[in-house]
């Protein structure tokens, strides 16, 4: 509050948020005059802008000058600062308006691909999974033959490996040196891959009672990097990962005959 007062005294417009909704999205927009025009730069993140958590958490940040992404961010700031109506965005997904519905639609699309014999897969990494409609959609995806891999560090209300219900779902939890905090959603989409990073877990409070965003990784090379570092790397961890079983218990994965793989150590060593 003291810092906010100082900012306002210096002429800075301070917006405290929308009443009834926690503003949980992490966005930064810089508008800069370059030569004879204005140019926007946006930073989108899965985690907090805080030096303490930055040293303990693993998160993803995207710095971009992509015109349409920056336009979306600008619209969101205008909406939140002016308490405007629902807005149409080109790339960003926003809770509580479009994020949940878009995720359900994308899961439904993977189901359609699987039933038609096309390539279908869902991989998601998050802190917690408890929102009923998302869990139900993942069960339906499993029953349609979609391979679903989930890396859920904390609460997971979904039960994998239940015959006839979730046989094609695998859930692992990584507990290591750093607190796993990034949220990443991947959809195979018959080879037309989509990958989103987000501030939102798949929980009721995040999807329906907070202001959150999910942003796509549009660049092919960056999308491949995020997939490799944040999804593939963690799914093959066999030293600090715990696998959720159908009865709700967790079993620690062991290297066995495979070479030990510690996802966080591999990330620190740039894989």
């Amino acid at each position: 509050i003291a810092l906010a007062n100082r900012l306002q005294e210096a002429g800075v417009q301070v917006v405290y948020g929308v009443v009834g909704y926690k503003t949980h999205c992490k966005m930064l927009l810089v508008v800069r005059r370059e030569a004879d025009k204005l140019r926007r730069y946006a930073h989108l993140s899965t985690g907090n802008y805080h030096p303490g958590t930055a040293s303990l958490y693993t998160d993803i940040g995207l710095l971009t000058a992509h015109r349409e992404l920056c336009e979306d961010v600008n619209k969101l700031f205008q909406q939140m600062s002016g308490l405007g109506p629902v807005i149409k965005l080109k790339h960003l997904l926003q809770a509580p308006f479009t994020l949940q519905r878009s995720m359900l639609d994308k899961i439904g699309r993977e189901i359609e691909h699987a039933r038609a014999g096309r390539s279908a897969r869902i991989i998601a990494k998050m802190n917690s999974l408890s929102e009923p409609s998302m869990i139900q959609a993942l069960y339906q995806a499993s029953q349609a033959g979609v391979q679903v891999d989930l890396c859920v560090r904390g609460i997971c209300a979904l039960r994998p490996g239940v015959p006839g219900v979730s046989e094609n779902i695998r859930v692992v939890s990584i507990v290591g040196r750093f607190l796993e905090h990034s949220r990443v959603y991947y959809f195979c989409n018959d080879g037309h891959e989509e990958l989103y990073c987000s501030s939102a877990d798949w929980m009721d409070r995040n999807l329906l009672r907070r202001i959150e965003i999910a942003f796509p990784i549009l660049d092919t090379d960056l999308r491949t990097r995020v997939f490799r570092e944040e999804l593939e790397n963690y799914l093959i961890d066999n030293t600090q990962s715990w696998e959720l079983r159908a009865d709700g218990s967790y079993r620690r994965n062991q290297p066995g005959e495979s070479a030990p793989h510690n996802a966080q150590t591999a990330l620190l060593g740039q894989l």
Side-chain angles (χ1 to χ4, degrees), residues 52-85:
T53 56
S55 64
L56 298 173
Y57 292 16
T58 64
D59 275 298
I60 293 175
L62 174 69
L63 179 63
T64 180
H66 189 283
R67 184 179 60 82
E68 293 181 345
L69 282 174
C70 290
E71 183 179 342
D72 279 357
V73 174
N74 186 63
K75 287 182 178 179
L76 282 172
F77 275 118
Q78 289 178 335
Q79 179 200 49
M80 287 187 286
S81 60
L83 300 180

Side-chain angles (χ1 to χ4, degrees), residues 140-160:
Q140 292 172 356
S142 172
Q143 293 162 29
V146 180
Q147 179 61 44
V148 180
D149 292 287
L150 304 173
C151 184
V152 184
R153 175 176 54 82
I155 297 168
C156 183
L158 177 149
R159 291 290 182 92

Side-chain angles (χ1 to χ4, degrees), residues 34-139:
E34 298 182 356
D36 59 344
K37 63 181 180 180
L38 294 177
R39 191 174 186 187
R40 296 187 183 117
Y41 298 89
H43 186 267
L44 303 164
S45 177
T46 65
N48 304 330
Y49 294 122
H50 188 284
T53 56
S55 64
L56 298 173
Y57 292 16
T58 64
D59 275 298
I60 293 175
L62 174 69
L63 179 63
T64 180
H66 189 283
R67 184 179 60 82
E68 293 181 345
L69 282 174
C70 290
E71 183 179 342
D72 279 357
V73 174
N74 186 63
K75 287 182 178 179
L76 282 172
F77 275 118
Q78 289 178 335
Q79 179 200 49
M80 287 187 286
S81 60
L83 300 180
V86 180
I87 53 179
K88 186 174 182 179
L89 303 172
K90 294 182 178 179
H91 295 288
L92 299 186
L93 306 176
Q94 180 193 17
F97 303 117
T98 60
L99 179 51
Q100 182 192 38
R101 183 70 262 165
S102 296
M103 290 295 104
L104 291 173
D105 289 345
K106 293 178 189 300
I107 294 172
R109 185 182 58 192
E110 296 301 312
I111 292 173
E112 293 177 2
H113 285 317
R115 288 174 175 167
R118 297 187 292 264
S119 299
R121 191 181 185 193
I122 298 168
I123 308 176
K125 182 174 183 284
M126 63 196 74
N127 296 328
S128 300
L129 170 60
S130 61
E131 205 285 312
S133 63
M134 300 298 293
I135 293 174
Q136 185 62 35
L138 291 173
Y139 284 154

Side-chain angles (χ1 to χ4, degrees), residues 195-255:
L195 188 146
Y196 286 82
C197 298
S198 180
S199 58
D201 293 307
W202 286 355
M203 303 178 71
D204 178 88
R205 69 184 187 189
N206 295 86
L207 298 174
L208 301 174
R209 299 198 305 275
R210 287 183 176 180
I211 298 176
E212 308 267 19
I213 61 165
F215 53 95
I217 305 299
L218 300 174
D219 181 86
T220 303
D221 291 339
L222 289 181
R223 185 167 61 242
T224 300
R225 177 183 174 185
V226 174
F227 181 89
R228 184 168 56 92
E229 293 183 0
E230 286 295 314
L231 298 178
E232 186 176 65
N233 176 40
Y234 283 89
L235 290 177
I236 62 174
D237 186 297
N238 57 14
T239 64
Q240 59 182 7
S241 69
W242 296 74
E243 190 148 350
L244 179 60
R245 298 189 290 187
D247 62 1
S249 64
Y250 283 86
R251 178 185 60 195
R252 186 165 187 171
N253 287 321
Q254 302 291 338

